[in-house]
Amino acid sequence: MVSMNEFGNNLYSGKTSFPFVGKRRLWFIIAVLLVVGSVLVPLVRPIQFSIEFTGGSQFMVVSPASTDQNTATDAVRAVVPEAATRVVVVNDKDIRVQTDQMSPNQTQEVKAELAKAYQVPVDEVADSFIGPAWGENVTRQSLWGLAIFLALTFLILGIYFRTWKMSAASIIGLLDVLIITVGIYALAGFEISPAAVIGFLTILAYSLYDTTVVFDKVRENTTEDADQTSRTFGESVNLAVNQTLVRSINTSIVAALPVGAILFIGALWFGAETLSSISLSIFVGILVATYSTLFVSAPLYAAFRQGEEEIIAHDKKVLKARERAAVSA
């Protein structure tokens, strides 16, 4: 059985190679299907936004006699029959109820019904209200944050790599990560909260870091091509991805393990909701980001440059050298 160290050495030397660039059309088709599927998911299962985005009323029942969620739904609908409710058990002992916006009178009546249903004093039922303007402000600022992040990323990568094509491939990879992660969120019924948005921005930074490391190796390999004729441009890009494959896997595992521990042991076990939203978005995003770097960004960069005259001339030179070597052999 091949050890991880030997496997890594084989990838670095090219003895073992996965066709990330050679089969890029297949990876692009899969990527497009994933993106289209993620975009269509909300049509079947709408994205669940938290009350911070939608606005509404919230009630917290502290230490109720039971944690039956249907009890809360029945209590709310006894006051407002058409109300949409979202009931969550918090910390395994409290009940949180989110509803549409209610009037002051309805709020007091719902508090009384919840206290009666869960057999607690009325002052053990806390209420709060978040207006739609606040939610719109959060949404607007989140989108501005994302737009500024992408614009700065494009600019900085363009300066760092001295080519806009690497920037474009990186940005498309980041959008791929964002769309698929949000699609998974919608499909699984996860709620998008401000904490989840922070997690999304965090995984974009992680994806950017992963892509930059791979592209650094791509630039190193393709620069060497100017002095030798053993590899075509696509083969040099593919070699770079394979050479950094073990590092990408190890980095993803190292990053996912503590986040997974926070998610599955800390957040879900102890019910820390904000921690759960952040760790869930980061956990999903790390897995998607690793896939996107390997199967989307790097092959896309090779596709962007394959039509350049300099690349075409270099590839022809390499292929002719191989033909001559084959004839002489």
Side-chain angles (χ1 to χ4, degrees):
M1 184 176 180
V2 179
S3 66
M4 194 65 179
N5 187 44
E6 185 178 357
F7 177 66
N9 289 334
N10 290 341
L11 286 172
Y12 199 87
S13 64
K15 184 177 180 181
T16 299
S17 179
F18 295 100
F20 295 105
V21 174
K23 291 189 176 182
R24 59 175 178 260
R25 290 185 180 178
L26 173 62
W27 311 138
F28 290 164
I29 291 173
I30 293 174
V32 169
L33 290 176
L34 289 174
V35 169
V36 171
S38 299
V39 171
L40 294 179
V41 163
L43 299 178
V44 180
R45 186 163 184 156
I47 298 175
Q48 300 295 318
F49 290 99
S50 68
I51 192 172
E52 289 85 354
F53 289 101
T54 61
S57 299
Q58 177 170 290
F59 303 88
M60 182 69 75
V61 185
V62 180
S63 301
S66 76
T67 55
D68 180 32
Q69 299 180 32
N70 291 327
T71 300
T73 302
D74 294 339
V76 173
R77 290 182 176 170
V79 179
V80 186
E82 69 279 7
T85 61
R86 189 158 55 237
V87 184
V88 177
V89 177
V90 181
N91 299 327
D92 282 336
K93 59 184 181 63
D94 300 332
I95 293 288
R96 189 190 68 189
V97 185
Q98 293 179 335
T99 71
D100 302 328
Q101 179 181 350
M102 292 190 174
S103 66
N105 289 337
Q106 289 174 330
T107 299
Q108 295 306 315
E109 291 179 17
V110 169
K111 284 183 63 176
E113 284 292 331
L114 287 172
K116 178 182 176 183
Y118 284 110
Q119 303 175 31
V120 297
V122 175
D123 57 6
E124 291 294 319
V125 181
D127 68 281
S128 57
F129 168 73
I130 297 177
W134 195 89
E136 291 173 4
N137 189 42
V138 170
T139 303
R140 184 170 56 255
Q141 291 185 3
S142 299
L143 293 175
W144 267 111
L146 177 61
I148 292 172
F149 174 83
L150 293 177
L152 289 177
T153 297
F154 188 88
L155 178 63
I156 293 172
L157 287 182
I159 295 173
Y160 180 72
F161 289 120
R162 295 185 290 278
T163 168
W164 66 268
K165 293 183 179 179
M166 275 191 174
S167 291
S170 301
I171 294 297
I172 292 173
L174 292 180
L175 293 176
D176 181 64
V177 172
L178 183 62
I179 293 171
I180 294 177
T181 302
V182 173
I184 293 174
Y185 252 67
L187 185 63
F190 298 142
E191 185 180 80
I192 295 181
S193 63
V197 173
I198 293 172
F200 292 153
L201 294 177
T202 303
I203 61 165
L204 291 183
Y206 170 83
S207 177
L208 179 62
Y209 161 76
D210 196 42
T211 303
T212 302
V213 171
V214 174
F215 278 3
D216 254 340
K217 192 62 184 175
V218 169
R219 185 173 60 172
E220 180 183 328
N221 285 359
T222 53
T223 300
E224 292 174 355
D225 286 348
D227 304 322
Q228 54 81 39
T229 57
S230 63
R231 298 189 302 258
T232 64
F233 178 79
E235 289 169 345
S236 291
V237 175
N238 195 69
L239 177 62
V241 180
N242 278 279
Q243 287 174 329
T244 53
L245 179 60
V246 172
R247 187 213 60 82
S248 292
I249 294 174
N250 288 340
T251 303
S252 301
I253 292 174
V254 170
L257 281 177
V259 175
I262 293 172
L263 174 62
F264 294 108
I265 299 176
L268 297 183
W269 187 278
F270 295 106
E273 189 178 354
T274 301
L275 200 58
S276 175
S277 296
I278 293 177
S279 57
L280 180 61
S281 58
I282 293 176
F283 185 80
V284 174
I286 286 174
L287 303 180
V288 178
T290 304
Y291 142 79
S292 182
T293 298
L294 299 175
F295 294 96
V296 177
S297 295
L300 196 59
Y301 173 66
F304 280 163
R305 294 201 59 188
Q306 68 175 0
E308 294 181 9
E309 293 182 2
E310 182 181 352
I311 301 298
I312 293 174
H314 171 77
D315 287 354
K316 284 182 178 179
K317 189 176 178 182
V318 172
L319 295 176
K320 284 183 179 179
R322 288 180 185 174
E323 289 177 0
R324 288 196 296 270
V327 171
S328 60

